[in-house]
Amino acid sequence: MAGGSDAAETLSCARCSNPASLQCPKCVQLKLPREGAAFCTQDCFKASWSSHKSVHLKAKLSSLGTDGAGGQNSDLASEGWLYCLRKGQSRTPKLPPFNWTGSLRPYPISVKRNVPAHIDKPDWANDGVPKVEPNSDWQHRVEIKTPDQIERMRETCRIAREVLDAAARMIRLGVTTDEIDRVVHEATVAAGAYPSPLNYHFFPKSCCTSVNEVICHGIPDARKLEDGDIINVDVTVYYKGVHGDLNETYFVGNVDEASRKLVQCTYECLDKAISIVKPGVRFRDVGEVINRHGSMSGLSVVKSYCGHGIGELFHCAPNIPHYGRNKAVGVMKAGQTFTIEPMINAGVWRDQMWPDGWTAVTADGKRSAQFEHTLLVTETGVEVLTARLPSSPDVLPWLNK
C-alpha cells in the first residue's frame, strides 16, 4: 500500500468506518472511486484484501467490455471482432466466464483472413478438418524423407524463418497481436505459401501469439502489447507440399530480470537438446537434456505438449517429449525431420485451457517461454532447417555476448 490519499474530503475506512487517509494503490491505478478504496491503517487494508481485490477484477472485466456498455470492444463487435469459443467454431460478443489463472485476458479477434486462390492449400483450409493426417501410417512410423522432400523442406523452412523474422520486427509497445498475425499472413502469402495454422482444426488465425502466462496456442487478438510483456510467436508455413515450423519468445520494453532469465534458459534448453541430435540417439533423451537444464535453473518443463514429426504432414511421428523420464520410443535416423520446442514455466508445469479451446496457460498464472526449430537428422548430426539467418533481427540479447 502506497501512501496517503490526495483527497480533500474525509473518507471512511472500507473495513471499520473510521476516518481514513490511506488508499488502495491498485484502485488508484485503475482510477476507481475513492469511496470503498480508503483504509485507516495498513492492518485494515491487509485484513480486507481477500474480499477487496474482487473490486479490481470486476473493474478489469468491465474495461474489457463484459458489461455491454458501448466501450471499445462493443465498437469492435460491430466490426466483426468477437471472442473465440469452441476451438474456433463459435464466437461471442462478451468475455466468457472463467477462473483466470493470471492477469491476462482474451480480447476479441478479427474475421478470418483470406488466402488467394492460386496458393496451394492443405486439406483443412476450407472446412477446418484434416483428412490425410489423422489416418496416415506416419502417425505410427517415423518417415525417412527422400532427397526431394528434404530439399522442399529446406525451401519451406527458409520461408518460415523469414516470416517469423518479419513478425519479430513488429514487436513493440502498443502493437496488437492481431497486427502481428496480419504481418505473418501477408508475408506468408507473398512468398507463395499458406499459413499452416489457419483453420487447422478450426484455429482462427495464421500464427500463434502466446503472451506472459500463455504456454502455447495463444490466438492473436485486439490486445496491445504492454511494457514488460514477453511474447512467443509460433509460425508454420505450407509450401510445395511440406510444412516448416518454428517459434521464438521476445521481450516487450522493460522486462523484469526473472522473465529474462526464463526466456534465456528456454533458449538454452532447445540449444542443448539440438546438440545431441544425431543417428542412434533415443528420442527420449531429448527430454532428459531439457529437464536437467530447466530444473537446474529452478524452472519446470511442460508435459502436456511435445515436439513432433513434420513434413508433408503438419504433425506426425515421432512425438518428442521435453520432460525427463518420458517413455518415447525409437531412435533417430538420418533423413528424419521433427521439431523440438520446449515450453518452460517459471512456476508449476501444469496447464489449464481457456474457454476458446486453444489457449493453454500456466495453472498458477506465472510466466512461460518457448523456442522451436524444425530439424533434419543427417548422417553425421543435425541440420537446423529453421536456423537464424544473417538478416534475422537482433532481438535475442544473449546471442551478442
Side-chain angles (χ1 to χ4, degrees):
M1 193 165 180
S5 165
D6 60 356
E9 70 270 28
T10 301
L11 298 174
S12 298
C13 177
R15 179 169 181 258
C16 67
S17 299
N18 287 332
S21 60
L22 301 178
Q23 194 134 26
C24 170
K26 190 67 177 179
C27 289
V28 173
Q29 178 186 345
L30 294 172
K31 299 180 179 179
L32 299 180
R34 291 187 175 93
E35 296 79 6
F39 297 88
C40 60
T41 64
Q42 293 274 6
D43 290 339
C44 270
F45 175 69
K46 291 176 182 178
S48 300
W49 177 248
S50 60
S51 59
H52 174 71
K53 64 183 179 181
S54 64
V55 174
H56 308 148
L57 178 58
K58 290 177 182 178
K60 288 179 180 178
L61 294 181
S62 176
S63 71
L64 289 174
T66 57
D67 57 359
Q72 181 186 20
N73 288 351
S74 297
D75 295 336
L76 290 173
S78 68
E79 299 171 6
W81 293 67
L82 298 166
Y83 294 97
C84 179
L85 293 175
R86 297 181 58 238
K87 292 188 74 87
Q89 296 182 72
S90 67
R91 302 284 190 273
T92 178
K94 293 198 173 186
L95 182 72
F98 187 69
N99 185 22
W100 313 100
T101 64
S103 60
L104 195 71
R105 300 291 182 272
Y107 276 60
I109 68 171
S110 61
V111 297
K112 180 183 173 185
R113 303 188 196 280
N114 293 321
V115 177
H118 72 273
I119 300 288
D120 187 28
K121 301 175 179 66
D123 64 8
W124 57 80
N126 292 326
D127 63 5
V129 181
K131 286 83 174 174
V132 174
E133 185 175 286
N135 301 312
S136 171
D137 287 343
W138 301 126
Q139 297 298 343
H140 312 288
R141 294 187 294 128
V142 183
E143 182 180 21
I144 304 297
K145 303 297 191 295
T146 67
D148 172 69
Q149 288 175 312
I150 290 171
E151 190 54 41
R152 285 188 284 134
M153 287 200 68
R154 286 193 179 106
E155 286 186 73
T156 301
C157 288
R158 169 82 180 218
I159 293 171
R161 162 51 67 182
E162 291 171 345
V163 170
L164 182 63
D165 287 349
R169 295 184 184 99
M170 282 288 293
I171 306 298
R172 58 182 178 273
L173 295 178
V175 170
T176 68
T177 50
D178 183 80
E179 290 175 287
I180 295 169
D181 180 76
R182 176 183 56 78
V183 168
V184 167
H185 185 90
E186 292 176 354
T188 302
V189 169
Y194 181 92
S196 305
L198 184 62
N199 217 28
Y200 180 71
H201 293 288
F202 307 101
F203 188 82
K205 291 296 169 184
S206 297
C207 68
C208 300
T209 52
S210 301
V211 178
N212 296 343
E213 68 262 30
V214 179
I215 295 171
C216 61
H217 303 156
I219 300 174
D221 60 23
R223 181 187 182 272
K224 295 180 180 179
L225 295 178
E226 299 176 358
D227 188 42
D229 283 347
I230 60 173
I231 176 173
N232 178 273
V233 182
D234 193 335
V235 166
T236 312
V237 305
Y238 179 72
Y239 182 71
K240 292 190 176 181
V242 296
H243 301 270
D245 190 2
L246 77 162
N247 72 56
E248 291 180 342
T249 301
Y250 307 113
F251 302 132
V252 183
N254 300 303
V255 176
D256 64 85
E257 186 62 25
S259 295
R260 288 182 173 274
K261 289 180 178 178
L262 167 67
V263 173
Q264 182 172 343
C265 178
T266 306
Y267 179 92
E268 292 167 351
C269 283
L270 175 58
D271 197 45
K272 290 177 180 295
I274 291 172
S275 72
I276 72 164
V277 174
K278 63 182 179 179
V281 172
R282 299 181 302 176
F283 293 123
R284 69 177 62 179
D285 292 340
V286 170
E288 298 297 338
V289 170
I290 292 170
N291 194 77
R292 185 181 307 118
H293 188 65
S295 298
M296 286 176 61
S297 300
L299 306 170
S300 63
V301 181
V302 174
K303 299 181 180 181
S304 305
Y305 302 91
C306 62
H308 54 87
I310 188 170
E312 293 177 355
L313 302 179
F314 193 172
H315 298 92
C316 56
N319 286 336
I320 312 288
H322 303 119
Y323 56 92
R325 298 184 180 179
N326 66 79
K327 297 181 180 179
V329 297
V331 299
M332 300 176 191
K333 297 178 181 179
Q336 294 172 343
T337 54
F338 51 80
T339 71
I340 300 178
E341 46 188 297
M343 288 144 273
I344 309 298
N345 293 351
V348 300
W349 67 264
R350 296 185 183 277
D351 62 282
Q352 289 189 19
M353 185 69 69
W354 273 6
D356 59 37
W358 280 107
T359 306
V361 297
T362 58
D364 57 7
K366 295 185 179 180
R367 291 187 167 187
S368 182
Q370 183 185 19
F371 285 86
E372 174 186 21
H373 277 305
T374 294
L375 309 172
L376 166 68
V377 183
T378 67
E379 294 290 348
T380 57
V382 61
E383 179 181 343
V384 182
L385 298 177
T386 49
R388 293 178 63 80
L389 304 169
S391 60
S392 294
D394 181 15
V395 290
L396 304 179
W398 58 87
L399 296 183
N400 299 322
K401 293 181 180 179

